[in-house]
Amino acid sequence: GHLTIAIKEFLLSTIQQLSFVQRFSDRSINFFSPYVEINFSQYEDFQFNHAFAAIETYLGAKATDKAKHLKASQVQESKGLVLKREETKVRDEYEGVNVWWESGTDTIGFRTFKLTFHRRSRDIVTDSYIQYVVEEGKSIQAKNKKMKLFTNNPSSQWDSSKTSLWRYIDFEHPASFQTLAMDPKKKEEILNDLVAFSNGKDYYKKIGKAWKRGYLLYGPPGTGKSTMIAAMANLLNYSIYDLELTAIQNNSELRKLLTATSSKSIIVIEDIDCSLDLTGKRVKKESNLTSLEDGEKAKEEDKSFVTLSGLLNFIDGIWSACGQERIVVFTTNHLAKLDPALIRRGRMDMHIELSYCTFEAFKILAKNYLDLDSHPLFKKIESLMKETKIAPADVAENLMKKNREIDADGSLNDLIQALEKKKKKIQPAQLDEQKDKNRGKMFKAFRMLF
Ligand SMILES: Nc1ncnc2c1ncn2[C@@H]1O[C@H](COP(=O)(O)OP(=O)(O)OP(=O)(O)O)[C@@H](O)[C@H]1O
Ligand SMILES: [Mg+2]
């Protein structure tokens, strides 16, 4: 939102300023010096200049290895130190061109950067170098960005400020694609898709499509859908917006929420089949309102609910106009229950099935939990896994260490017992249903956090 606009504005104003600087410089240079100077101020017309911050980040990263005086700041605990140099002058080289940056302050006391370069390299500096610096700086900033997990507040609690729509906590989930147990080929396909998407700015522009991508994750409980979302966020350094549809009343509230999300984010709607019923109306909530309020509510409900078409239109429509990268993820336990309109190709770009644990997936878990590549008991587990269905979550539970020490034999035997127990009970459908009921939304949200 604001950042990109600010940078666009900045670039525009830079171009205007440049022509001014150039005209001015041209005159002076011819007489005094072969060098051109451009000044960047921390504030432009009393508005914070985001490009200034990007330049600062870029320069900070540029010369840390050479600098003698380093100022370290820790952006996020897990992200290591970001080093900044305190020296005021930095030399940089770009496509064989030498430039110098010098930091200072202007007459009002705002901080500035002065960029100096030879006038024969003026074209390359003004045409591409400055933009390169701003973009590099932005991408370094993005890498150091703190990820957040947002949840929408019930619309009854909204006030006029935008901040009341979503509440957030810092997102520090350890999930990664490396530790995700699933078919390695499928995993790679998804990874490539995500990376291509996040680097696809120019491509999406070229083909005239909005820079967004939809993933539908489906599969039984405990197969890694939520874990994959966390892994996606970690991979791309995106924040997560966990959209709870039952906490809002109608499509216009939905629109408000979605427009208040930032770019580089993943918008998640878990259990889409439970959030919207098939006629497109929102699922009735159990209410503990008094009877009078109940009546009012019922009247209201006729004209106000979140509809499937409202959701889809928004995702297809307005967002296309804001031109920033966003990922939408829907999850469900029951693919068959979903409205075909929702899962039509093109709407959800990729359908990803997460399923019961295969032997391949088990090996990843064994590596994660027990640090094992092979073990005599693997054979038995392999054959048992072919005969029965077990969710990766249940496998993981058995492989977790029970005491202080990792006990591979004990854990694998536990798993074998669990598999044999499952094999005897031949009622997987019933079992799943019961599990579904037990895993309420709260529980899922809870698990996402811990
Ligand atoms: N494919 C997997 N790879 C690694 N760990 C997994 C996988 N699936 C499940 N787990 C483990 O099981 C736990 C529960 O999994 P997760 O919450 O991702 O399941 P889910 O598919 O979202 O289930 P639900 O449909 O109930 O929301 C995770 O915290 C993780 O430790
Ligand atoms: Mg889940």
Side-chain angles (χ1 to χ4, degrees):
H2 301 300
L3 186 73
T4 346
I5 293 167
I7 282 167
K8 270 190 204 137
E9 279 173 357
F10 157 76
L11 285 175
L12 273 177
S13 73
T14 320
I15 291 163
Q16 286 158 6
Q17 280 169 31
L18 283 183
S19 51
F20 170 74
V21 173
Q22 279 163 29
R23 252 183 288 129
F24 175 76
S25 315
D26 276 341
R27 252 180 262 147
S28 52
I29 282 162
N30 289 337
F31 290 102
F32 307 114
S33 140
Y35 291 101
V36 183
E37 281 176 10
I38 299 176
N39 276 300
F40 298 85
S41 181
Q42 191 180 8
Y43 289 86
E44 293 287 338
D45 300 327
F46 296 99
Q47 293 237 345
F48 184 71
N49 185 353
H50 288 275
F52 181 91
I55 293 168
E56 185 171 38
T57 310
Y58 171 83
L59 294 177
K62 192 78 217 162
T64 39
D65 41 345
K66 291 177 217 142
K68 287 182 214 106
H69 307 287
L70 293 178
K71 195 170 73 185
S73 66
Q74 201 171 23
V75 179
Q76 185 181 356
E77 235 178 306
S78 56
K79 283 266 155 79
L81 294 178
V82 178
L83 299 173
K84 285 184 189 160
R85 54 180 284 150
E86 286 206 278
E87 278 168 29
T88 52
K89 246 184 173 168
V90 178
R91 190 184 70 86
D92 193 13
E93 204 180 309
Y94 179 76
E95 294 184 5
V97 168
N98 279 320
V99 301
W100 294 265
W101 288 94
E102 193 172 356
S103 72
T105 46
D106 64 12
T107 48
I108 320 172
F110 291 150
R111 296 175 50 221
T112 58
F113 283 122
K114 188 170 76 185
L115 174 63
T116 312
F117 49 91
H118 198 278
R119 76 175 161 201
R120 68 165 173 263
S121 17
R122 188 198 301 131
D123 286 349
I124 192 161
V125 171
T126 56
D127 290 348
S128 55
Y129 174 69
I130 295 174
Q131 191 169 354
Y132 162 81
V133 168
V134 172
E135 273 171 15
E136 278 293 295
K138 258 176 28 179
S139 91
I140 298 167
Q141 281 172 349
K143 272 187 212 129
N144 293 325
K145 182 184 85 174
K146 256 189 177 174
M147 284 184 277
K148 296 188 177 102
L149 174 59
F150 293 87
T151 321
N152 52 313
N153 287 320
S155 54
S156 54
Q157 292 171 17
W158 297 358
D159 55 44
S160 54
S161 68
K162 258 195 170 179
T163 49
S164 66
L165 303 189
W166 297 94
R167 64 175 182 277
Y168 71 85
I169 55 163
D170 289 339
F171 177 77
E172 292 198 15
H173 195 292
S176 72
F177 272 91
Q178 199 185 348
T179 56
L180 199 65
M182 67 183 292
D183 175 38
K185 250 196 195 153
K186 222 157 83 184
K187 194 185 336 192
E188 177 143 355
E189 199 185 317
I190 298 163
L191 255 165
N192 289 338
D193 193 87
L194 284 164
V195 173
F197 167 79
S198 72
N199 295 328
K201 186 174 187 171
D202 297 333
Y203 174 72
Y204 278 84
K205 205 170 173 182
K206 193 175 136 220
I207 61 169
K209 273 188 70 168
W211 194 9
K212 65 180 165 60
R213 199 133 179 97
Y215 298 92
L216 175 70
L217 309 184
Y218 65 96
T223 50
K225 297 179 292 300
S226 303
T227 310
M228 179 177 281
I229 295 170
M232 286 176 168
N234 282 331
L235 176 76
L236 301 175
N237 209 309
Y238 283 15
S239 286
I240 294 179
Y241 287 87
D242 188 7
L243 180 54
E244 174 58 80
L245 288 181
T246 50
I248 52 174
Q249 301 293 332
N250 53 44
N251 288 335
S252 79
E253 287 181 358
L254 175 68
R255 236 181 341 261
K256 261 190 210 150
L257 273 178
L258 291 179
T259 37
T261 59
S262 63
S263 74
K264 289 187 191 292
S265 58
I266 303 180
I267 285 105
V268 178
I269 304 179
E270 291 256 29
D271 301 296
I272 186 84
D273 52 303
C274 306
S275 306
L276 294 164
D277 77 13
L278 289 188
T279 60
K281 286 182 189 161
R282 64 195 289 253
V283 189
K284 281 187 193 72
K285 271 189 296 181
E286 279 171 48
S287 88
N288 48 4
L289 300 169
T290 66
S291 59
L292 198 147
E293 277 171 320
D294 254 352
E296 299 234 318
K297 252 265 107 73
K299 248 190 273 160
E300 244 172 58
E301 211 139 61
D302 288 12
K303 53 177 170 134
S304 59
F305 39 71
V306 179
T307 59
L308 178 65
S309 66
L311 180 65
L312 295 179
N313 283 338
F314 195 81
I315 287 173
D316 284 353
I318 297 215
W319 265 0
S320 315
C322 56
Q324 293 177 7
E325 66 257 61
R326 279 196 180 82
I327 289 175
V328 182
V329 181
F330 291 160
T331 76
T332 180
N333 292 137
H334 311 279
L335 187 65
K337 272 202 206 165
L338 293 186
D339 192 307
L342 191 67
I343 56 176
R344 185 193 88 198
R345 298 271 160 182
R347 221 147 218 173
M348 291 289 114
D349 299 284
M350 209 174 179
H351 295 187
I352 302 169
E353 183 182 12
L354 286 142
S355 195
Y356 293 108
C357 199
T358 60
F359 183 62
E360 281 299 312
F362 159 74
K363 283 201 286 193
I364 298 173
L365 290 173
K367 180 85 191 142
N368 293 348
Y369 285 84
L370 307 174
D371 215 8
L372 279 183
D373 288 311
S374 66
H375 191 279
L377 288 174
F378 275 18
K379 264 222 161 75
K380 186 160 189 189
I381 291 171
E382 182 171 13
S383 74
L384 273 168
M385 278 190 165
K386 281 187 187 133
E387 295 165 45
T388 183
K389 291 172 175 172
I390 187 166
D394 296 331
V395 175
E397 209 170 290
N398 282 293
L399 299 187
M400 283 266 275
K401 62 179 178 189
K402 278 101 202 166
N403 299 309
R404 251 185 282 169
E405 298 292 314
I406 289 178
D407 169 19
D409 293 314
S411 292
L412 292 178
N413 275 315
D414 286 350
L415 176 62
I416 289 171
Q417 267 182 20
L419 281 165
E420 276 170 346
K421 217 161 114 191
K422 274 201 195 283
K423 208 174 117 185
K424 276 186 209 137
K425 283 190 203 160
I426 317 167
Q427 30 164 290
Q430 245 172 303
L431 220 70
D432 271 0
E433 234 163 69
Q434 192 51 48
K435 254 193 180 164
D436 274 9
K437 274 184 201 149
N438 293 344
R439 289 164 190 252
K441 276 241 158 190
M442 278 307 288
F443 178 55
K444 286 187 181 183
F446 194 71
R447 215 172 41 194
M448 186 84 194
L449 297 180
F450 297 102

